[in-house]
Amino acid sequence: KQDNTSRIQVLERATKILDLFSTEHMEWRFRDIVTESGLNKSTVFNIVNTLRELNLLEQDEETKKSASSEES
């Protein structure tokens, strides 16, 4: 059973990743998300995949970069 602290931590980490996406920087490579967020690779991988499943992020199939799904 997970406690509330771990759930809040996941939300904080997901928000940290989503906050990277802005009108100035709309696309990110996976390794750059890892570097900029300061989170470990497996954490970023799991969160980014979940955000894609929730349609909050999209992945460009050519460049493999992630982008926010939100319309500006």
Side-chain angles (χ1 to χ4, degrees):
K1 178 180 171 184
Q2 291 183 328
D3 62 22
N4 289 337
T5 305
S6 63
R7 289 186 210 156
I8 291 169
Q9 187 176 52
V10 168
L11 289 173
E12 289 172 346
R13 290 174 176 179
T15 301
K16 188 174 197 174
I17 290 171
L18 287 172
D19 284 347
L20 294 174
F21 296 87
S22 66
T23 54
E24 293 84 29
H25 204 136
M26 295 172 52
E27 294 184 325
W28 287 86
R29 293 181 299 189
F30 175 78
R31 67 175 173 237
D32 295 330
I33 295 172
V34 171
T35 301
E36 290 296 318
S37 70
L39 301 171
N40 69 48
K41 289 180 187 180
S42 63
T43 299
V44 171
F45 180 82
N46 290 327
I47 291 172
V48 167
N49 281 337
T50 301
L51 293 171
R52 286 182 189 145
E53 288 176 17
L54 295 171
N55 295 317
L56 295 171
L57 290 181
E58 299 173 343
Q59 183 178 28
D60 183 304
E61 292 306 317
E62 274 187 45
T63 66
K64 301 299 183 198
K65 290 182 180 180
S66 293
S68 175
S69 298
E70 296 178 16
E71 294 187 21
S72 302

